[in-house]
Amino acid sequence: MNKNDSIKKIYSLCEHDYNFENEKELKELLAPYKEGAIGIAQLNPIVGNLEYNAKKILKYIKHAQNIGLDLVVFPELALVGYPFGDILNRYPNFADENIKWLNQIAKMTEKTAAFVGFVDFDTENKDKICSSIAILQNGVIQKIIKKSDKNASVVINNKKYLIVSGDNGLENIDRNCDVIINCCASIASENYNQFQILSLLSKKYSTPIVRVNQVGAIDNFSFDGASVVFDKNGEVQAFAKTFEEQFFIVNPDNNLGKIYQSTEMYNQCHQKDEAFSLDYEKDLERTYKTVIQGIKDYFCKNGFKRAVLGLSGGLDSTVCAVLLADALGAENVFGISMPSKITSNESKTDAQQLAQNLGINFATLPIKDIVESANTSLQGLFSNIESRWSGRYKESYTMDNIQARSRAVILWGVSNEFDSCLPIATSDKSEAYMGYATINGDMSGGFAPIADITKTKLFALARWLNKNREVKNAIPESIILKRPGAELAIDPNTGKPLCAEDALMPYEFMDEVIWRIENKKECYEDMLSSEFMYERAHKISKEQKILWLDKFYKRMNVALYKWSILPPSINVDSDISEKVEYKKPIISSKINFQSRTEEEIRANLNS
Amino acid sequence: MNKNDSIKKIYSLCEHDYNFENEKELKELLAPYKEGAIGIAQLNPIVGNLEYNAKKILKYIKHAQNIGLDLVVFPELALVGYPFGDILNRYPNFADENIKWLNQIAKMTEKTAAFVGFVDFDTENKDKICSSIAILQNGVIQKIIKKSDKNASVVINNKKYLIVSGDNGLENIDRNCDVIINCCASIASENYNQFQILSLLSKKYSTPIVRVNQVGAIDNFSFDGASVVFDKNGEVQAFAKTFEEQFFIVNPDNNLGKIYQSTEMYNQCHQKDEAFSLDYEKDLERTYKTVIQGIKDYFCKNGFKRAVLGLSGGLDSTVCAVLLADALGAENVFGISMPSKITSNESKTDAQQLAQNLGINFATLPIKDIVESANTSLQGLFSNIESRWSGRYKESYTMDNIQARSRAVILWGVSNEFDSCLPIATSDKSEAYMGYATINGDMSGGFAPIADITKTKLFALARWLNKNREVKNAIPESIILKRPGAELAIDPNTGKPLCAEDALMPYEFMDEVIWRIENKKECYEDMLSSEFMYERAHKISKEQKILWLDKFYKRMNVALYKWSILPPSINVDSDISEKVEYKKPIISSKINFQSRTEEEIRANLNS
């Protein structure tokens, strides 16, 4: 085998589903590049599950030993997983335990060194803990480097490695080393933010940088991996697969290192300075993979394997069904059409057609009887209450909501009756912002796959799915063309089910407001003074724009409660750690979103 | 009027419902103590509502002016309220706005100086904000003191005031001043932790310390006020009413200052070093007031005024009903008995008797029809699903849960139909820990008043309420004597409704585990090796203790999802900022709660 072929073979062996049976072959192939070769273990840990993580780590260390590597590196906090919330408060033995596991792993190391992220106690204050990297070799822990230690290095086989833990230690590093190892556990947006800095540093110091990152989803957090190696010229020498656990091999000394996944897509979709547009195309693959990983990891790491959801024939439940089928397998998804008297025939046939195209399980269960029982009971009760309380609404959403809640009763019933099955909340991000979802109804479930994706992006995603999935056009065109609406009430003007946009505002406008809040940090006045895409296209009046903006802010201010009880979802476009990017106090709902002049304020204070 | 009488009159005017009509009288009474007198405004702000807070602040400043005080002091961040979450991210104009309001307040000041907490921009980084205190006097902002500024002082009427913002600036203060003003916004537990330090400092420096604190509830946070003044000997010279907005007057120079509320109760109930006991007596008044303020502020600050809840005749809904009646007024509470076929006659009559004793509105609505419709629909669906999916449970909670969910459909229906009305989630803390509550059922609602109170404490609270409320014995004795259970299923052994303790473990044992986790930071092994109160009383075997402990930890580990969707409640015994003291990732449910030996770990890794 010539040099090129042997290198290709090495790369291909690290591509997918790492095959530990080929260790002998790999060792032979690697022999010429052995000196200074590094194994990068882009790990998908289960947070808190020391046994699972330790076994994974040990497996890769043994593998690195078996193929003759000098060194194998792991992400920050690989042994415990990150983020771990208040695990250490609630399980005071947890830090001790992780050290015990580390000790045992250390005892099983041989010549190959391993850099393993774990939780150590603070040297000065035993009550405090700190993220640390342990250097394991020859059966012992050779050294422990705390996150706060600057310019900590270690020599392995005559090479000096400088170890930087996390994203904040990269400035002021000592250039006097052969390779910089950066162990991190950074969510996607934070991760890509570091790439330019890493490239500049490696060039400035003429020193290669190996960055190993965690992959996988932890509740709402999405880590996409993207471990990367910059050579001493600041060029990308290797780039891991994204959204996959991977073990791959680089040698900064002699150009061994493959770009398994292009950074281009990521650079593109993380450009936050662009104007708002409906052209989500270049971000849809990332979006898709983020949600798929989010579903897989939430289900698998929690011990669930099946999902049940209501199929309304609308966009939200449709996209959820496709994503669930791809993440869990079509056989593990049950779609249930639960028509009420308002549900159109088209909705019913669309839902059925979709299920058939996807190959998921399907059943129909009309909710007419349940809704009627509830209605009858409630009407009697309301008359009773009215005799004691004033303030009964002339028009209410009560009956609309009963339909949505009856459906959730069915879905939770299935989840309670069948093993390992979670009901799905199909709310999307636009509706969450507007509070346009029913508590204990469509926003209820064990997981909310699309709660961080806006409606206009979901339309784009639906088209992308039809084009890019193996089975083309699984989503019936009529679903994509339909105007969104909950089909819970009849519009008295048209006699047809009420459309969401009529009750709210055009989604294109709404989603641009969301985009401006999240990406541009704009306030109400900023939006008033800049031109929206929708304005350019539709020439709406200033008054119309003010009406919609006011409605948006008023609804957002009171939607907070619903955000607080939304099930776990997966962060797709939000950069934050909480369930959704919105953690201000619920009782701040009276906040004034419009700026006031000093004169207005003076007049107000004097009144 | 002699001196004693005039001082008494001053104090009484500051006791309750501050009367601004007596300003002339107060000014005269204060004349002899005017020099160096300080008005302390223990404010209850609405977070984010600048207009409301600014008007309140201005009202107190004008009042201080009118009665001739040198100075009036406000809590940290009084103008915006604390905590304010990510308001500043979502409303980028908010910091600018708060400065505009501050400017206008400043313009309205005269000779009386005011120390007002607000949000200022960082001097070095305009993108960062910091908590600051503005010194307003004579129509302008005289000075701004940032939280990070150490030993910042200001001279007002020849007296030098040192200003310390928050709890962390108290060490290394400059003794060269006449009075130390400590503006803070500290939740109850943090607040009382400071008292000893403040007392020591005032004695050490022979300088009086005035601590002004925020009062009121903000979502889950409870601020009880307890503003305090230590004289130069370290003795408490004044102590505000707790759980009430109050304006009161002190003069550190001449002993003007009343203890409106004893600190004794608080010192007692914040002793965390005691052993667990069921004697909650000395903490029940604080518990009661915390929840009452929590309900009042959540409802009032959000614009709600009425509550609807299911009355099961059990302890949880009973205590909720009493607390709601006291917080909102009996006429604003609607209790609904919703019996199913399992509900006993005793439960129905107990519920009705309770409502009558409390004077709240009451209705009965059997849920038989709704439950039967749902059951019928579901049984057909389950057979269908079973043909596709294995893993149908032989015994499930499906039908139990449908009862609880049907009740929530009714309560949310009432909330949707009547203005300003919130449904109440009646789950308690013991059940939350065990996940022994139904999603979209009893744990669903707009607010959860008792979600941070354990079951054994609720029993004690019920007895306390019967003894201490104006109307004695409102809670029927039979409710207190009844063994808790959800009345959702029949115990096949007894033919009677299943009791919670039979399904779980004795509440006394369970609540001690919770107490040890939260107060002692104990782990599983700590608990195994120490004697529980329940063990002493009942001489249970070690095996029994292990069984219960294991069950507790296993249930707690999977109850996490439910914690994440619990409605806002009020922190009573949890010291933390989140909804409930439990924010570890849901997917860490497989965490091993038992410590392992190194041998076990080695064997495990080698397997």
Side-chain angles (χ1 to χ4, degrees), chain B residues 346-586:
Chain B
E346 198 199 3
S347 293
K348 292 182 220 171
T349 53
D350 280 347
Q352 187 160 17
Q353 186 61 55
L354 171 76
Q356 202 178 311
N357 295 350
L358 292 174
I360 62 172
N361 303 290
F362 182 76
T364 299
L365 184 72
I367 53 167
K368 190 170 153 281
D369 289 354
I370 307 178
V371 171
E372 266 175 22
S373 307
N375 276 358
T376 311
S377 297
L378 275 174
Q379 290 311 333
L381 179 66
F382 290 163
S383 305
N384 182 341
I385 294 178
E386 221 179 353
S387 70
R388 246 75 67 76
W389 274 358
S390 63
R392 181 170 178 183
Y393 291 116
K394 295 256 178 305
E395 285 175 42
S396 81
Y397 300 103
T398 313
M399 293 312 152
D400 311 18
N401 286 332
I402 283 172
Q403 297 167 57
R405 289 187 185 122
S406 299
R407 292 180 178 125
V409 166
I410 306 284
L411 298 177
W412 278 104
V414 175
S415 163
N416 286 157
E417 190 76 11
F418 289 87
D419 184 33
S420 313
C421 174
L422 278 187
I424 297 301
T426 55
S427 290
D428 67 49
K429 183 172 187 164
S430 307
E431 293 172 354
Y433 261 85
M434 294 296 88
Y436 197 74
T438 302
I439 296 167
N440 295 2
D442 56 325
M443 58 168 280
S444 165
F447 191 71
I450 59 168
D452 196 32
I453 308 180
T454 58
K455 188 72 99 184
T456 54
K457 194 177 191 180
L458 283 170
F459 275 107
L461 185 60
R463 293 219 172 274
W464 184 90
L465 290 166
N466 270 353
K467 214 170 80 185
N468 290 281
R469 290 177 75 244
E470 205 178 309
V471 177
K472 307 294 175 204
N473 298 313
I475 302 175
E477 187 69 11
S478 51
I479 292 179
I480 301 178
L481 293 175
K482 199 181 296 174
R483 291 187 74 202
E487 274 200 326
L488 296 174
I490 297 293
D491 185 339
N493 298 320
T494 64
K496 289 182 178 168
L498 199 67
C499 283
E501 290 185 308
D502 298 335
L504 304 168
M505 66 197 72
Y507 279 112
E508 297 174 19
F509 186 91
M510 190 193 307
D511 290 355
E512 183 161 352
V513 180
I514 296 171
W515 182 86
R516 285 172 181 271
I517 290 175
E518 294 192 353
N519 294 283
K520 295 285 185 181
K521 306 288 173 205
E522 288 189 5
C523 68
Y524 180 90
E525 283 76 21
D526 297 330
M527 293 191 212
L528 257 190
S529 63
S530 53
E531 193 184 35
F532 275 44
M533 192 198 68
Y534 191 89
E535 282 180 281
R536 271 197 306 282
H538 298 270
K539 302 213 184 309
I540 55 164
S541 69
K542 196 81 181 174
E543 289 68 38
Q544 181 62 73
K545 185 178 182 181
I546 292 174
L547 271 175
W548 284 341
L549 271 181
D550 286 4
K551 183 187 262 183
F552 183 96
Y553 271 92
K554 280 178 192 158
R555 290 197 71 117
M556 179 175 79
N557 278 352
V558 295
L560 272 173
Y561 166 68
K562 293 186 179 178
W563 288 58
S564 81
I565 56 164
L566 210 63
S569 73
I570 188 76
N571 294 347
V572 175
D573 290 323
S574 297
D575 288 350
I576 42 69
S577 51
E578 293 298 313
K579 286 206 282 195
V580 275
E581 192 182 349
Y582 208 172
K583 52 188 171 182
K584 77 184 189 73
I586 294 172

Side-chain angles (χ1 to χ4, degrees), chain A residues 90-91 445 557 561 581 596, chain B residues 90-91 100 445 557 561 581:
Chain A
R90 194 148 295 259
Y91 301 85
N557 277 352
Y561 167 67
E581 193 180 349
R596 306 206 198 191
Chain B
R90 193 148 295 260
Y91 301 85
K100 282 191 213 163
N557 278 352
Y561 166 68
E581 192 182 349

Side-chain angles (χ1 to χ4, degrees), chain A residues 230-247:
Chain A
F230 292 93
D231 67 17
K232 60 184 181 183
N233 304 313
E235 301 292 326
V236 174
Q237 184 188 345
F239 195 97
K241 300 282 291 181
T242 50
F243 299 104
E244 273 183 38
E245 185 167 300
Q246 198 191 8
F247 182 94

Side-chain angles (χ1 to χ4, degrees), chain A residues 46-49 51 55 83-84 86-87 90-94 97 100-101 103-104 108 217-219 298 301-303 306-307 331-332 334 336 361-363 365 369 373 377 381-382 384-385 388-393 396 398 401 405 410 412-414 416-419 421 433 439-440 444-446 521-523 525 556-557 561 564-565 568 579 581-591 593 595-596 598 601-602 604-607, chain B residues 46-49 51 55 83-84 86-87 90-94 97 100-101 103-104 108 217-219 298 301-303 306-307 331-332 334 336 361-363 365 369 373 377 381-382 384-385 388-393 396 398 401 405 410 412-414 416-419 421 433 439-440 444-446 521-523 525 556-557 561 564-565 568 579 581-591 593 595-596 598 601-602 604-607:
Chain A
I46 299 182
V47 63
N49 194 332
E51 178 177 340
K55 283 183 170 173
F84 49 80
D86 68 355
I87 281 184
R90 194 148 295 259
Y91 301 85
N93 59 345
F94 188 77
E97 288 298 294
K100 283 190 212 165
W101 286 92
N103 283 332
Q104 292 307 317
M108 297 173 189
I218 291 183
D219 291 3
Y298 191 83
K301 291 176 178 178
N302 279 317
R306 305 192 286 209
E331 70 281 11
N332 290 317
F334 224 110
I336 304 179
N361 302 291
F362 181 76
L365 183 72
D369 290 353
S373 306
S377 298
L381 179 66
F382 290 163
N384 183 341
I385 294 177
R388 245 75 67 78
W389 274 358
S390 63
R392 182 172 178 180
Y393 291 117
S396 80
T398 314
N401 286 332
R405 291 189 184 121
I410 308 283
W412 278 104
V414 175
N416 286 155
E417 190 76 10
F418 289 87
D419 184 32
C421 174
Y433 261 86
I439 296 168
N440 295 2
S444 165
K521 306 288 172 207
E522 287 188 5
C523 67
E525 283 75 22
M556 179 174 78
N557 277 352
Y561 167 67
S564 81
I565 56 164
K579 286 207 282 197
E581 193 180 349
Y582 208 173
K583 52 187 171 184
K584 80 183 186 72
I586 294 172
I587 64 159
S588 66
S589 61
K590 301 282 190 304
I591 194 169
F593 48 82
S595 299
R596 306 206 198 191
E598 306 240 319
I601 289 174
R602 193 178 324 127
N604 193 306
L605 283 176
N606 279 321
S607 69
Chain B
I46 299 181
V47 64
N49 194 333
E51 178 178 340
K55 283 185 171 172
F84 49 80
D86 68 355
I87 280 183
R90 193 148 295 260
Y91 301 85
N93 58 345
F94 187 77
E97 288 297 294
K100 282 191 213 163
W101 286 92
N103 284 331
Q104 291 307 317
M108 296 174 190
I218 291 181
D219 290 5
Y298 191 83
K301 292 176 179 178
N302 279 317
R306 305 192 286 207
E331 70 282 10
N332 289 317
F334 223 111
I336 303 177
N361 303 290
F362 182 76
L365 184 72
D369 289 354
S373 307
S377 297
L381 179 66
F382 290 163
N384 182 341
I385 294 178
R388 246 75 67 76
W389 274 358
S390 63
R392 181 170 178 183
Y393 291 116
S396 81
T398 313
N401 286 332
R405 289 187 185 122
I410 306 284
W412 278 104
V414 175
N416 286 157
E417 190 76 11
F418 289 87
D419 184 33
C421 174
Y433 261 85
I439 296 167
N440 295 2
S444 165
K521 306 288 173 205
E522 288 189 5
C523 68
E525 283 76 21
M556 179 175 79
N557 278 352
Y561 166 68
S564 81
I565 56 164
K579 286 206 282 195
E581 192 182 349
Y582 208 172
K583 52 188 171 182
K584 77 184 189 73
I586 294 172
I587 64 159
S588 66
S589 61
K590 301 279 191 302
I591 194 170
F593 49 84
S595 299
R596 304 206 201 194
E598 306 240 317
I601 290 174
R602 191 178 325 125
N604 192 306
L605 283 175
N606 279 321
S607 70

Side-chain angles (χ1 to χ4, degrees), chain B residues 1 4-14 25 29:
Chain B
M1 204 184 287
N4 256 352
D5 286 347
S6 73
I7 288 190
K8 269 188 192 158
K9 183 79 189 171
I10 294 172
Y11 295 158
S12 78
L13 286 171
C14 297
E25 184 187 358
L29 288 166

